[in-house]
Amino acid sequence: MNPIERYVSRPDIARLAGVGRPAVANWESRHHDFPSPRTVGGAEVFSTAAVAGWLDGRVIARNALGEGESPGATYGTRFRRNLGSVAGTVAPTAARIPAMPSPTHPAMTLSTAAPSTRSAVTPASPAGDAESALQEVLRGFRGAGLMMTGHRNLVLGLVYLRAVRQADWANLAEYGNLTPKVLVGWLESVAPGLHQVLREVHFAGPWQRLFGQLVRVVDQAVSARGGMEVYRFLLDWFSSMDGRRGGEFYTPRSLVRVLVEAVAPGPGARIHDPCCGSGEMLVAAAVHASRDGGEIPPVSGLTWTAELSEVARMNLAVHGVAGDVTPATGQALGGWLSETGPFDVIVTNPPFNMSLWKDQDTAYSRDWRYGPPPTHNANFAWLQHVALSLAPGGRAAVLMPNSASASESLRERDIRTGLVEDGRVEAVIALPSHLFYSTGIPATVWLLGRPTSARDEILFIDASGSGRLVDRTHRILTDEDVAAIADSVDRWRHEERGYGEGSGFSRSVPLEEVREHDYVLNPKKYLSTLPESVEGSGADRLHELRRQLERLRLQAVEVDASVDRELRRVGL
């Protein structure tokens, strides 16, 4: 029997999670991945499964623990307990609302309607159990040598079908035992776009058994956590498993939040990502633009391949975002730079230090306003292209390697100078190392703009001491870190000249001082580190102590890794 989706209001969320209503409002406004509401009878309500899944990621502070709650308990656990759940399922007292009708057109579409999570196969298991079961089956694919790119996309495609194409998912229950050849033919008939992502799948011996398990656990996971959360979880998981290759198609969630919060897209914004990977930047920007109750705006983006375009389109559809995502024309970056906008918001994480991005004969074919970028490195091709693609008053956030902010290449320095003198550089934010799955190097966020009036200052933020290590090779930025960066940018935009003067975290620097430093845009050049000094506020000293602690913690992790390598080398 199919489970029925149940919903709760904002006051219900506060009551069941044991928090005040302002806390719920803060979660919804500050976190782009907070479940989206659905309007029923004129009231906005939220899926209990989606809310519980999101709250699973929020640990209750020690001083807020209730009776019987142990350190490490999450608000998700408290929410389910107060809801009266049994084995992780939704309580019968929650509001019951029929599931939305599923699309009937066989082609893949990008609907702006919030996707339903009603199951068509099996009842939901507890969220944690479903997630663990999904990981176990995926490890089975890897163990059988099957977890290639096509199989990754197959899993994402199944989540898309389960969350958005419910009629097709119901049919999958009947067709799940077909031979691989017949099954793929059926998939092609109901979802041509999904078939495209299966072109690399190789149906080896254990595939049939594993596929049946995969269908069951995808159904359980989406039922327990919602399609949006499961899709994001899988992108995280595949990226961490793929290591360096994972960075080619996915930007970690905390990094996405920094870029989106810094540009703060508003209602009706024309949003674009010229190198959108799996579409995570576009999703976050579109959701942010609608978080005050407005409609989710359509977005656009370019990807490396047709296969990756389908992954991004499915990601948009699962999140209820309409968009036009297409593969770029041509293999050289020149084909990517033909789309000039204008756009109100651009958020992007292009490949760092891309070499041979254009052949020598066509390197100067575009009218580069600030001079032609060097052909051996595309960093300033991306930066200049983004800046020139903005509409008046538009904003952009671009991830760059640290080297771009202080490159001594004559061409790159000339472009950097032109961007600064033209008022195109709004802020530069230094980030810590080990934020990416693909590399341990630190990165910098460039906030670019097309100002409608002269700009004579640049905001510099040194967040290189932020974040926390979640394992030996990966760091995340916490909610507090993201909020500190976003709040600094927001206050600078709305306060008078000289904001942050003397602070060790952020400072607004006059262009005259930037010129004195030969247009070097490394935030550390302009921010005091305040080592053991009595100068500055207690907050400044605390920030510096935190940075020193993080450096020591990172060194300790690196020493541990070195010891482990030596022990393995000698067979211990």
Side-chain angles (χ1 to χ4, degrees), residues 19 21 47 196 243 259 262 276 279 315 365 369-370 376-377 397 411 422 432 469 477 488 520 532 548 558 567:
V19 299
R21 292 183 62 176
S47 162
Q196 171 65 28
L259 271 69
C276 73
N315 194 6
S365 59
R369 178 168 179 170
Y370 306 110
H376 69 276
N377 191 317
R411 286 190 188 175
D422 210 13
L469 289 165
L477 296 170
S488 291
V520 169
E532 301 180 14
Q548 292 178 3
E558 291 171 345
L567 290 175

Side-chain angles (χ1 to χ4, degrees), residues 309-321:
S309 290
E310 295 298 340
V311 172
R313 288 172 189 160
M314 290 190 294
N315 194 6
L316 296 179
V318 166
H319 286 82
V321 179

Side-chain angles (χ1 to χ4, degrees), residues 285-306:
V287 171
H288 186 286
S290 66
R291 70 181 187 180
D292 290 330
E295 293 185 1
I296 298 178
V299 298
S300 64
L302 297 173
T303 64
W304 290 112
T305 64

Side-chain angles (χ1 to χ4, degrees), residues 408 426 469 515 522 550 561:
E408 295 184 357
E426 184 179 32
L469 289 165
R515 295 184 188 109
N522 185 340
E550 281 299 318

Side-chain angles (χ1 to χ4, degrees), residues 9-22:
S9 65
R10 290 181 180 87
D12 290 334
I13 295 173
R15 176 177 53 82
L16 295 169
V19 299
R21 292 183 62 176

Side-chain angles (χ1 to χ4, degrees), residues 34 41 52 72 112 126 134 215 230 258 277-278 344 388 438 503 523 557 564 572:
F34 190 86
T112 57
L134 183 55
V215 169
V230 174
V258 168
S278 299
D344 301 308
L388 296 176
S438 55
S503 168
V557 168
D564 285 347
L572 296 178

